[in-house]
Amino acid sequence: MYYMRLQTYAMSVSIKSSAQIQKMRIAGQLAARVLEYISPHVQTGIATETLDQLCHRFITEELLAIPAPLNYRGFPKSICTSINHVVCHGIPGQSKLKDGDIINVDITVIKDGYHGDTSMMFLVGNVPARARRLVEITHECLWLAIRMVRPGIRLGDLGQAIQQYAESRNCSVVREYCGHGIGLEFHEEPQVLHYGEAGTGLQLEPGMIFTIEPMINAGKRHVKLLPDNWTVVTRDHSLSAQWEHTILVTDVGHEVLTLRKGETP
Ligand code: MF3
Ligand code: CO
Ligand code: CO
């Protein structure tokens, strides 16, 4: 997810050609396959750096693709792993998953120059009901926004819908990070805020491709950056969850480019 910047100039949002869309479909499918591949490994006792190593090998040797996070603005690993009160950009390391943890695994691959970006939550062992509830609310935030995507709708409509749903359930929306356009670049225009006002913002057009990736906290919305300059955590140490898909705006609606096997739109 992208660190939000002030918008000073008119946004230049690229409209992908059908040839580019075809390449984005492939990149998206490969990113989804990495999540399918890693799922059975996300278990109590595994170190997040082992998850990183497994994904790195799968991406480079099986998919013949590039893990986009590695060395991106100095990020040291090939995937992001964000546990419990970590909001996003968690760096895989030696600490092991514990019974009751919730973890987001965020995968971005580059294939033939194009990026596919997707993340999901995993429940580790026996997870308390309040954490499961947060994970489910966040999943619904992603999907209620995806279902709205079609030409003519505005980005503010998506943000407002996500914010209203999350806050109606006494959760909060992280503001400092957002979804993003994606293509030849990891993070392109537009910024896709997960809060806002209906009827405002960019109007969607066929051929736009962007991520939706709400970060929802069980407590207050405020976040803090750890001294490693990557790991983002909730200020109040409350739990945080996130789900992400890469979405194409089609003539009639949308296509989820990072859909996993068995995941019904
Ligand atoms: N995959 C994240 C996103 O959804 C970005 C991670 S940047 C990294 O936009 F450097 F931390 F990998
Ligand atoms: Co993203
Ligand atoms: Co991502």
Side-chain angles (χ1 to χ4, degrees):
M1 51 307 316
Y2 202 42
Y3 191 80
M4 276 175 36
R5 290 158 304 130
L6 291 176
Q7 211 75 69
T8 3
Y9 296 98
M11 291 188 291
S12 55
V13 176
S14 77
I15 303 295
K16 270 73 176 176
S17 68
S18 48
Q20 289 178 309
I21 289 170
Q22 200 42 45
K23 290 181 179 185
M24 287 297 289
R25 283 195 180 101
I26 291 167
Q29 280 163 16
L30 296 189
R33 278 183 61 193
V34 181
L35 286 177
E36 292 167 2
Y37 159 77
I38 204 62
S39 294
H41 296 282
V42 185
Q43 300 285 352
T44 307
I46 195 165
T48 49
E49 69 184 4
T50 306
L51 297 175
D52 177 72
Q53 285 159 7
L54 288 166
C55 288
H56 182 92
R57 189 205 59 83
F58 185 75
I59 293 165
T60 56
E61 293 177 26
E62 309 272 336
L63 303 180
L64 306 178
I66 299 166
L70 187 61
N71 301 321
Y72 176 79
R73 300 186 183 201
F75 192 78
K77 298 286 183 179
S78 296
I79 67 172
C80 297
T81 50
S82 302
I83 302 172
N84 295 338
H85 70 294
V86 179
V87 172
C88 62
H89 301 168
I91 303 173
Q94 286 166 19
S95 67
K96 293 177 174 159
L97 296 183
K98 302 184 310 297
D99 187 62
D101 283 346
I102 59 171
I103 178 177
N104 174 279
V105 177
D106 193 339
I107 303 292
T108 312
V109 303
I110 309 171
K111 183 71 170 182
D112 207 1
Y114 288 84
H115 291 70
D117 188 7
T118 183
S119 81
M120 67 179 287
M121 297 299 298
F122 294 93
L123 306 175
V124 181
N126 244 322
V127 170
R130 64 173 193 285
R132 288 202 310 268
R133 175 177 179 272
L134 173 68
V135 168
E136 279 158 25
I137 289 167
T138 308
H139 187 255
E140 181 56 20
C141 283
L142 170 61
W143 276 97
L144 70 84
I146 290 175
R147 290 191 294 265
M148 293 170 72
V149 173
R150 60 180 167 76
I153 198 172
R154 290 178 179 273
L155 285 179
D157 301 338
L158 304 181
Q160 196 260 349
I162 292 169
Q163 181 180 8
Q164 185 186 307
Y165 185 84
E167 292 180 355
S168 75
R169 269 124 189 111
N170 275 312
C171 295
S172 63
V173 179
V174 171
R175 309 252 175 135
E176 289 83 355
Y177 299 85
C178 57
H180 50 91
I182 182 167
L184 282 169
E185 302 286 336
F186 198 157
H187 296 111
E188 301 183 353
E189 301 292 353
Q191 299 185 63
V192 180
L193 278 51
H194 304 110
Y195 65 93
E197 303 295 333
T200 67
L202 180 75
Q203 204 163 20
L204 300 186
E205 293 171 35
M208 290 180 177
I209 300 182
F210 55 83
T211 71
I212 305 175
E213 46 183 304
M215 285 141 279
I216 307 294
N217 299 345
K220 294 201 166 41
R221 68 174 180 82
H222 305 95
V223 300
K224 142 180 119 181
L225 186 63
L226 294 190
D228 65 19
N229 264 307
W230 278 107
T231 311
V232 180
V233 299
T234 54
R235 260 188 192 277
D236 62 7
H237 264 239
S238 63
L239 291 174
S240 188
Q242 180 179 34
W243 295 80
E244 174 176 27
H245 270 311
T246 299
I247 316 292
L248 164 70
V249 184
T250 65
D251 291 333
V252 294
H254 58 266
E255 186 179 321
V256 181
L257 301 183
T258 45
L259 207 62
R260 295 179 296 280
K261 221 175 282 154
E263 192 186 13
T264 38

